[in-house]
Amino acid sequence: PSSPLSPLTTTSNILRNIHGGIGNSSFGRVVRHHAAAPSNDSTRSEEDSNKSEFRCSKITPPSFDDPDSIARRRLVLSLLSSASLASSFGGNASADASTTIITQPPATLATTKSPIRVIKPPLDTRSYSALTLSNGLEVLLVSDPTSTTGAAAMNVHVGATSDPLEVPGLAHFCEHMLFLGTETYPGEDSFSTFMSANGGTNNAYTDSERTVYYYEINASDADAKFSESLSRFGSFFACPLFTEGATGRELNAIDSEHSKNLQNDVFRLYQLEKARVSEDHPFSKFFTGNKSTLLEGTKRQNIDLRQQLVKFYESYYSANQMSLAVVAPQPLDKLEKFVVEGFGTIPNRDIAAPKERWAFDVPPYGGNMGSKSLLPAEKSIMEIVPIQELRQVTVTWPITFESKQEREAFRLNKPDYFVSSLLGHEGVGSLLSYMKGRGWANSLGASDNANLSDFVTFEVTVELTNKGLDAIDDVCMTIFSYVDMMRRTAIPDYVFDENLQLDELQWRYTTKGQPGGYAQGLAVSMDEYPPSLYVAGPRRLALRETEETLLSSDDPRMSFKTKGQRDILKDSCSDLVRRLTVDNSFLTVFSKTFEGKTSRTEKWYGTNYNVRDIPVSTLTRWRNAVPAASIGLEYPRKNVFIPSEAGLRVKKKPTKKNGGGDTTRALTFEEKLAPIPPPTVIRDDGDEGRWTVHFKQDDRFGKPKAFMIFQLLTGELYSSPAKASLAMLYQQCAADKLNEYTYDARLADLSYDLQVMPRGVRLTFGGYNDKLKAFASYVTSKLARDLDDVLPSGEEDFERYKDNLLRALSAFKVKEPYAHAIYYSSLTQQPRNFQYTNEQLVTALKETSLPELVGYVKTLWAAGKGEALIQGNYDKKEALDIVNTIDKTISFNTISSDQYPARNKGLPLPISAPGDKPTRLSISEPNPSNNNAASTITLQCLGTSEKDHVLVEILGIIIKEPFYDDLRTKQQLGYIVSSGVKAVDQTRSLNVIVQSNVVPAEKITSSMMNFLDTVSDKLLAPLTSVDIELYVKGLVDSRLEPDKQLAIEVTRNWSEIASGRFQYDRLKAEVAALLTIRKEDIVDYWDLLYKKERRILVSEIVPQIGPTSKKPELSSGYSGGVPSSVLGINDIDQLRASGEDSRQNM
């Protein structure tokens, strides 16, 4: 299962790893103080800091899986383009196809360069140039000679709020259509094929007031290709075709997208939130669109849909209402030439911004303004039946603006950031601390949500216990008590000072991320900030030095320039707090207890709900809320974890020899191949001894950061579903009990992670090394010694944690069918004692008792073999001292080497003979209301050599785009269509997946198998040496891409240590293997996988409604070996047992 901690469900805590779509987003800053996962490296990357994020109060353990991951704060409703679901499989897109090109004369337009310097972080060595093309297009060029990829993002300043009333979803549909052919490049798959052939990805999303398109492509030593990519991208906006054929087919994709979201609480809530907005305000519209609005609705009104698309494009897609950001390795003058040629032909229709038609003129909320909404807002409560087992209440305040100047001041001053840092704090005296003490809450978060030109909504969301659900009035009164304290008692100066210090600390050490994410954020920032603040605007606080002047320096600040500068922020916060009144608020409650008790059904998603006025007596009680001090509420205490200036000293400067140093130029191929010094063993107590300690002092990144990983190897902690459920309970209890202490540490970018796993227990610490040792020592002491401090205080406390986990596990049932298909496929390849089923964990958890948990935790640290990695800004002596401190704290008994737990070895799938059907699972979709079918096919490779692994990846690249084009674009089987490569230990698997609401599961499977049958003749036989060189180059470039953060290197090093391989140069060994690949290698390997060995598994999910197949049997009676019939869900255990037997005999 996913993380056992229940996230708060709001429209700003949404589908964070899915690209594309439609939504209401605001690219602001990371709201650190609401305690989402600390970044894997406590130095934030620019993509992270470019998007503001709703932070829920439960800590999500920091994983080293994706150090450059992007936390997106927007409502995402789309998986558009060939990049869809790439995160599920991790494959690189690539394919090859010829394209008919209509040649146009190059643009020869003049440009106007801005004389204003773009403020950038101190460590940013890139060059920036802001300019305006003569057609009015605003452009920001960023030259990064060290990058191997280039990216571009176009922000068109029109979104779903501009949909015609007669055609809901038109802006979103237009976004889809721009990818499907232009006058210059007419092929529907021309752009995606070009992207795939050059190692690229692309996507787009439609927001309330903007539509953003973006891509990233291999660009080092490839000026012609990058120039062509810009030309192709520019033609989207200059001359899209909107062909009749593509228009008709893409309707199916829009409808499948909407169908995918019908069972998602986030989208259901989002539409109900919009129903509280005035019907005269464009935010109240249905943004996504479906066949009902785009096909049936237009036919009924005698509207020509294609003509509407063209009209929409010609009305709103104008160069003077667009912002383009380009990040690439080429120099600025060359990038300027490429941009002029690629985007100079976009027409300038000289239109006003679409928001001018309604912003500040149409009140978003009714009140006494004379407008009306579908549902009441202020002083009302909405009670919603969720799909998941959610229990939460949200208090919402609409913050409306009367003018552009007022809106601009709010954006520059960011009062919501400071106010949410107080309401969302989790330390002593906080709202959350008090509510937990009363047994009302599990977690709490505060943030803005809807974010438009003329209003934002500010929210406090509380994830409730059963007791809290019965005490909603008291929960809300406590919130109003805290707000009243902020209104009556000035926010202390140190709150502003510390937020500035922490923010500027992040600015000081901001590191480069991937060009794609950076370009995307910049394109949005260009629409919100003046040129000098394109980079700094979303990333820094106190953007005004005085009321009249803006921030002008790159230098990090440790204090406000003047008292007046701080006072600007204090006044802005006071103004926001004055608006957070009882009479200006409304409530939203999620609970399954409303099931069968509602009287309303939402039109688009079928959500059952009630809405009613809050009783006058309740409002009066809230207006006269008890004084905050009387119930122990207070402002946060000063943060003791903020590092000192002396503690930020770097002990060893980066050197070019070790892969650090010069960041102003691209490394040569030979320099990239140079070995990076691996960690060394600085303590080895032998196989029967206590510790093996690996250490590396950082000499590459030059930041005052470090990571410590300690693992106690033991095989008993996860040996049964009962013990696994106890491990989950312990992790949750410990995180919750330590939260008041660790919260301030997390604000100061210190993180910790506790994981109990099949091979033992692991503790990970990271962040600024100044106070990291003391932090790690305290946390370890609590976890290993002071057990009463991290265990439930009694039965009621225990039941609260147990309830949290059971509800989190129950969320599995309402995941999308494609996720269920992937889950069951993956399960068959994992040993039974390394991954227990969701059902096993639920059953075990229900039977767990508090005495069992106490007994389990007492044995947790009792005995084992210690492994550690210390890496970063420490020297050897300090590293050994840290290990000694942790060793004395844990004080475990040693074990013999024959007691070491076994390592995870992926299970082999059954072999099917040529001509026979592969092993097939058919399982009923557990959510009876989801009408989507799904199927995934897995081709398993057991080869362990570098050549085996890279050949699977090359095949994945070759297949990816043609598979998407055939099943998604041509056959229109569904919206979710993807392929890629996954790894389990040393095994690799090639996977293809489709989810559909129009055909049954067996049809999906047969269509995918038909495609795979053609791979050899259609895709491999025509391969040329040039094709293969392109595929190889993309994979080589990705492996030789220099690490951008310490966490990436630590991740890789720990992976080698934990696996026992110690192949620190694995990526370079794979590069050597890649350089030997020939066409016959690829053809032979496909024959081995698909025709000879044929370790193939089909995993089908059959819906209970919609395109149903025959209801799957629970079991076929399978008893081992190669299955002779379709397997059911109850056969999976035996299939895994057979895999374990096969693995032993290998």
Side-chain angles (χ1 to χ4, degrees):
S2 57
S3 168
L5 305 178
S6 304
L8 305 178
T9 299
T10 78
T11 54
S12 50
N13 180 25
I14 303 161
L15 299 181
R16 296 185 175 186
N17 297 319
I18 300 179
H19 297 265
I22 238 189
N24 176 40
S25 81
S26 132
F27 286 78
R29 36 176 310 88
V30 173
V31 185
R32 294 187 314 284
H33 34 254
H34 302 302
S39 61
N40 303 324
D41 184 342
S42 52
T43 302
R44 75 178 163 184
S45 67
E46 56 220 350
E47 291 98 330
D48 291 320
S49 50
N50 193 51
K51 300 159 181 72
S52 100
E53 167 187 7
F54 184 93
R55 296 289 183 132
C56 62
S57 16
K58 285 295 187 182
I59 178 172
T60 303
S63 103
F64 285 118
D65 293 337
D66 183 12
D68 284 326
S69 67
I70 302 172
R72 287 181 168 74
R73 194 201 167 283
R74 59 172 170 264
L75 182 61
V76 182
L77 311 181
S78 173
L79 283 169
L80 177 65
S81 87
S82 60
S84 65
L85 280 183
S87 61
S88 295
F89 292 124
N92 290 322
S94 188
D96 183 58
S98 58
T99 302
T100 303
I101 299 177
I102 300 174
T103 304
Q104 289 188 345
T108 55
L109 298 176
T111 61
T112 302
K113 293 186 180 180
S114 172
I116 300 174
R117 184 180 64 86
V118 177
I119 297 172
K120 62 180 184 177
L123 297 180
D124 190 350
T125 58
R126 293 169 294 200
S127 301
Y128 291 78
S129 177
L131 52 94
T132 305
L133 302 190
S134 61
N135 62 351
L137 177 65
E138 298 288 340
V139 179
L140 179 63
L141 305 176
V142 185
S143 174
D144 182 5
T146 67
S147 179
T148 59
T149 62
M154 178 71 89
N155 172 12
V156 184
H157 308 163
V158 64
T161 51
S162 294
D163 283 345
L165 290 175
E166 302 82 11
V167 194
L170 189 64
H172 183 207
F173 192 35
C174 182
E175 169 221 304
H176 278 233
M177 291 300 300
L178 258 63
F179 283 89
L180 301 179
T182 66
E183 292 177 11
T184 319
Y185 305 95
E188 284 186 20
D189 63 345
S190 176
F191 186 74
S192 58
T193 299
F194 177 83
M195 286 286 107
S196 296
N198 292 279
T201 58
N202 60 97
N203 219 319
Y205 67 88
T206 301
D207 202 342
S208 301
E209 298 181 52
R210 64 175 64 96
T211 306
V212 180
Y213 304 78
Y214 50 97
Y215 74 90
E216 185 170 1
I217 192 171
N218 291 334
S220 61
D221 305 319
D223 285 0
K225 289 294 184 184
F226 189 60
S227 175
E228 183 180 345
S229 74
L230 290 169
S231 173
R232 289 174 175 274
F233 191 52
S235 71
F236 281 21
F237 314 102
C239 51
L241 285 176
F242 300 113
T243 64
E244 291 281 3
T247 301
R249 284 192 300 275
E250 200 61 22
L251 277 170
N252 296 319
I254 292 285
D255 199 59
S256 292
E257 180 178 359
H258 176 62
S259 174
K260 171 183 69 69
N261 300 331
L262 288 174
Q263 293 293 299
N264 189 306
D265 283 316
V266 171
F267 304 111
R268 296 160 75 89
L269 171 61
Y270 184 53
Q271 195 59 41
L272 282 170
E273 286 177 344
K274 283 150 33 88
R276 288 174 129 163
V277 173
S278 167
E279 289 181 310
D280 296 328
H281 195 282
F283 186 64
S284 64
K285 297 175 182 178
F286 170 52
F287 286 174
T288 312
N290 57 16
K291 275 191 175 180
S292 172
T293 65
L294 295 170
L295 179 62
E296 298 160 10
T298 52
K299 283 184 176 180
R300 188 168 54 249
Q301 299 173 80
N302 294 318
I303 294 172
D304 185 302
L305 180 58
R306 182 180 178 277
Q307 287 182 7
Q308 283 289 311
L309 279 169
V310 173
K311 180 181 178 182
F312 185 88
Y313 163 76
E314 291 180 345
S315 298
Y316 297 114
Y317 276 61
S318 174
N320 74 312
Q321 291 299 329
M322 297 181 183
S323 307
L324 173 70
V326 178
V327 184
Q330 285 76 15
L332 290 175
D333 57 349
K334 190 173 287 186
L335 291 177
E336 182 177 337
K337 177 177 180 292
F338 292 168
V339 165
V340 169
E341 293 172 349
F343 298 85
T345 58
I346 299 174
N348 182 359
R349 310 182 201 280
D350 197 25
I351 64 171
K355 62 188 176 186
E356 300 292 341
R357 302 184 182 187
W358 49 267
F360 315 113
D361 291 328
V362 180
Y365 289 88
N368 298 317
M369 304 295 290
S371 58
K372 62 178 182 177
S373 58
L374 184 64
L375 299 175
E378 291 89 341
K379 294 181 283 190
S380 72
I381 181 169
M382 187 186 300
E383 300 165 334
I384 303 172
V385 179
I387 299 298
Q388 298 186 57
E389 288 285 346
L390 299 175
R391 232 180 7 239
Q392 66 182 50
V393 60
T394 298
V395 181
T396 302
W397 294 272
I399 310 299
T400 59
F401 306 108
E402 300 298 322
S403 66
K404 291 181 182 179
Q405 293 75 19
E406 188 181 353
R407 182 65 175 95
E408 181 69 11
F410 191 91
R411 180 176 289 119
L412 291 172
N413 296 333
K414 303 178 183 176
D416 52 327
Y417 180 82
F418 295 96
V419 173
S420 60
S421 76
L422 297 171
L423 289 167
H425 204 274
E426 300 174 24
V428 176
S430 67
L431 275 173
L432 180 61
S433 178
Y434 174 76
M435 290 186 190
K436 280 185 177 179
R438 295 297 302 269
W440 294 341
N442 295 310
S443 57
L444 179 149
S447 175
D448 64 333
N449 185 7
N451 201 322
L452 281 82
S453 291
D454 58 346
F455 81 96
V456 301
T457 56
F458 187 84
E459 298 183 341
V460 175
T461 297
V462 183
E463 204 260 309
L464 300 164
T465 63
N466 278 314
K467 188 176 179 180
L469 186 63
D470 293 333
I472 284 179
D473 287 358
D474 292 328
V475 168
C476 294
M477 186 185 71
T478 306
I479 294 170
F480 287 115
S481 289
Y482 201 102
V483 171
D484 189 60
M485 178 184 74
M486 291 193 290
R487 188 179 296 115
R488 294 173 181 272
T489 307
I491 299 172
D493 287 352
Y494 68 79
V495 170
F496 296 93
D497 297 341
E498 288 187 351
N499 272 290
L500 181 71
Q501 290 169 18
L502 292 169
D503 183 78
E504 290 295 293
L505 202 57
Q506 291 192 349
W507 173 256
R508 181 174 179 174
Y509 294 110
T510 295
T511 59
K512 290 190 291 188
Q514 288 301 114
Y518 192 40
Q520 185 189 158
L522 288 173
V524 173
S525 179
M526 293 170 68
D527 187 28
E528 296 185 333
Y529 295 96
S532 66
L533 298 179
Y534 282 169
V535 176
R539 294 170 175 78
R540 302 183 79 179
L541 298 174
L543 297 176
R544 285 174 157 172
E545 293 186 345
T546 69
E547 290 287 359
E548 293 78 27
T549 59
L550 295 176
L551 178 69
S552 59
S553 174
D554 299 341
D555 298 335
R557 303 161 293 175
M558 295 313 289
S559 63
F560 289 100
K561 190 172 183 179
T562 64
K563 177 180 179 294
Q565 187 181 29
R566 187 202 292 125
D567 287 343
I568 292 173
L569 304 182
K570 293 180 71 172
D571 291 345
S572 184
C573 289
S574 295
D575 180 67
L576 174 58
V577 169
R578 278 194 294 269
R579 300 177 184 225
L580 306 184
T581 66
V582 171
D583 293 332
N584 189 39
S585 66
F586 50 85
L587 268 60
T588 307
V589 183
F590 263 129
S591 175
K592 283 283 192 182
T593 60
F594 300 136
E595 207 156 19
K597 303 174 184 177
T598 58
S599 58
R600 300 194 185 203
T601 302
E602 194 276 321
K603 176 180 179 180
W604 301 108
Y605 293 89
T607 309
N608 294 321
Y609 70 99
N610 285 325
V611 64
R612 57 184 174 82
D613 291 338
I614 298 172
V616 173
S617 59
T618 302
L619 295 172
T620 301
R621 181 169 176 250
W622 291 349
R623 293 186 194 108
N624 299 283
V626 297
S630 70
I631 55 174
L633 298 178
E634 61 185 25
Y635 285 119
R637 300 172 184 180
K638 292 186 177 181
N639 192 334
V640 299
F641 293 102
I642 298 175
S644 65
E645 191 62 33
L648 295 174
R649 183 178 63 86
V650 174
K651 294 180 171 65
K652 194 171 185 179
K653 299 297 182 184
T655 61
K656 189 168 71 174
K657 175 183 177 183
N658 296 322
D662 190 359
T663 59
T664 61
R665 66 172 181 85
L667 299 177
T668 65
F669 185 74
E670 291 73 19
E671 287 172 327
K672 289 179 180 179
L673 281 176
I676 296 171
T680 59
V681 176
I682 60 172
R683 173 176 170 177
D684 187 355
D685 299 339
D687 290 344
E688 311 290 318
R690 300 184 67 76
W691 288 96
T692 302
V693 180
H694 305 263
F695 167 72
K696 182 180 178 184
Q697 184 171 2
D698 177 45
D699 53 9
R700 300 183 64 206
F701 301 97
K703 299 193 180 84
K705 307 290 184 73
F707 286 96
M708 316 171 182
I709 304 175
F710 305 96
Q711 180 159 312
L712 189 63
L713 297 177
T714 173
E716 292 302 314
L717 302 181
Y718 213 82
S719 56
S720 68
K723 288 188 175 181
S725 68
L726 288 168
M728 295 166 64
L729 270 170
Y730 170 60
Q731 289 171 198
Q732 188 184 41
C733 293
D736 190 59
K737 295 295 184 180
L738 289 173
N739 188 56
E740 286 192 1
Y741 172 80
T742 61
Y743 184 76
D744 275 346
R746 295 200 303 276
L747 295 184
D749 280 335
L750 294 177
S751 64
Y752 87 98
D753 174 31
L754 167 68
Q755 291 184 358
V756 184
M757 304 171 296
R759 300 196 72 235
V761 58
R762 179 188 300 166
L763 271 172
T764 302
F765 300 95
Y768 293 106
N769 59 276
D770 181 30
K771 300 181 180 179
L772 184 59
K773 178 186 173 183
F775 173 68
S777 298
Y778 180 90
V779 171
T780 305
S781 176
K782 290 296 177 184
L783 293 173
R785 285 184 177 178
D786 305 329
L787 300 184
D788 289 344
D789 292 346
V790 296
L791 287 172
S793 57
E795 286 294 336
E796 182 178 340
D797 210 20
F798 174 75
E799 290 299 326
R800 177 170 69 88
Y801 293 123
K802 192 171 171 179
D803 171 69
N804 283 346
L805 284 174
L806 286 171
R807 288 188 297 121
L809 289 169
S810 72
F812 169 80
K813 293 182 179 180
V814 295
K815 287 181 179 292
E816 285 295 311
Y818 77 84
H820 291 142
I822 293 171
Y823 167 77
Y824 289 115
S825 176
S826 299
L827 197 62
T828 63
Q829 300 168 65
Q830 290 277 9
R832 287 174 294 175
N833 64 335
F834 269 76
Q835 182 179 354
Y836 300 106
T837 67
N838 201 72
E839 185 178 357
Q840 285 175 314
L841 292 173
V842 168
T843 301
L845 189 59
K846 286 179 178 178
E847 298 173 356
T848 300
S849 67
L850 178 56
E852 286 177 314
L853 177 62
V854 173
Y856 174 80
V857 173
K858 286 180 178 178
T859 66
L860 196 67
W861 308 92
K865 165 67 178 180
E867 285 186 331
L869 170 64
I870 312 293
Q871 184 169 344
N873 193 39
Y874 284 122
D875 58 33
K876 178 180 176 180
K877 181 178 180 299
E878 290 171 316
L880 288 171
D881 182 59
I882 288 168
V883 174
N884 287 336
T885 300
I886 299 298
D887 183 41
K888 291 175 183 177
T889 302
I890 299 177
S891 190
F892 58 90
N893 295 319
T894 59
I895 60 175
S896 59
S897 57
D898 60 358
Q899 294 177 289
Y900 288 5
R903 299 185 190 278
N904 184 11
K905 301 292 183 183
L907 302 180
L909 295 172
I911 295 174
S912 55
D916 289 349
K917 291 183 178 180
T919 302
R920 178 178 157 206
L921 283 171
S922 184
I923 298 172
S924 285
E925 163 58 32
N927 181 359
S929 300
N930 197 311
N931 67 345
N932 288 276
S935 178
T936 181
I937 299 177
T938 298
L939 283 70
Q940 188 184 54
C941 155
L942 297 184
T944 60
S945 71
E946 288 84 7
K947 189 169 185 177
D948 289 323
H949 292 170
V950 299
L951 279 168
V952 174
E953 288 197 52
I954 290 174
L955 285 168
I957 293 170
I958 292 170
I959 286 172
K960 190 173 189 71
E961 183 55 36
F963 178 75
Y964 180 88
D965 182 57
D966 186 5
L967 279 78
R968 163 70 154 75
T969 306
K970 292 186 172 68
Q971 295 190 48
Q972 288 287 315
L973 291 185
Y975 181 68
I976 294 177
V977 176
S978 190
S979 61
V981 175
K982 293 184 74 174
V984 177
D985 185 50
Q986 289 287 73
T987 67
R988 299 292 184 271
S989 61
L990 181 61
N991 304 267
V992 292
I993 188 165
V994 173
Q995 178 172 298
S996 177
N997 67 332
V998 294
V999 298
E1002 63 263 27
K1003 169 63 176 174
I1004 298 174
T1005 299
S1006 64
S1007 297
M1008 292 195 294
M1009 292 298 295
N1010 289 340
F1011 173 85
L1012 294 174
D1013 288 341
T1014 68
V1015 166
S1016 184
D1017 293 336
K1018 287 189 176 181
L1019 301 182
L1020 303 186
L1023 283 176
T1024 67
S1025 59
V1026 174
D1027 298 329
I1028 296 169
E1029 286 174 6
L1030 280 173
Y1031 301 141
V1032 167
K1033 183 180 185 302
L1035 290 174
V1036 167
D1037 285 347
S1038 67
R1039 281 161 171 75
L1040 295 183
E1041 177 76 14
D1043 297 332
K1044 291 182 172 65
Q1045 295 182 359
L1046 174 62
I1048 299 175
E1049 186 182 339
V1050 172
T1051 303
R1052 189 169 56 251
N1053 288 340
W1054 179 254
S1055 176
E1056 296 300 327
I1057 293 167
S1059 67
R1061 294 189 300 262
F1062 301 105
Q1063 189 183 358
Y1064 296 109
D1065 64 344
R1066 180 174 53 85
L1067 292 179
K1068 292 180 172 61
E1070 290 180 353
V1071 168
L1074 281 164
L1075 297 177
T1076 70
I1077 299 300
R1078 301 292 180 266
K1079 178 177 178 178
E1080 53 268 28
D1081 297 322
I1082 301 171
V1083 172
D1084 291 346
Y1085 206 74
W1086 176 256
D1087 286 345
L1088 175 69
L1089 284 182
Y1090 193 67
K1091 298 179 180 179
K1092 297 176 182 177
E1093 193 165 282
R1094 286 179 62 81
R1095 295 185 185 274
I1096 303 176
L1097 174 72
V1098 176
S1099 175
E1100 294 177 347
I1101 301 298
V1102 179
Q1104 300 178 44
I1105 59 173
T1108 57
S1109 314
K1110 178 183 176 183
K1111 183 178 180 180
E1113 299 290 337
L1114 293 177
S1115 174
S1116 67
Y1118 172 68
S1119 59
V1122 178
S1124 58
S1125 59
V1126 178
L1127 303 182
I1129 189 171
N1130 291 346
D1131 296 317
I1132 293 177
D1133 186 71
Q1134 181 59 54
L1135 185 62
R1136 297 171 79 185
S1138 295
E1140 290 167 1
D1141 292 341
S1142 297
R1143 170 60 74 184
Q1144 277 192 326
N1145 296 328
M1146 285 180 152

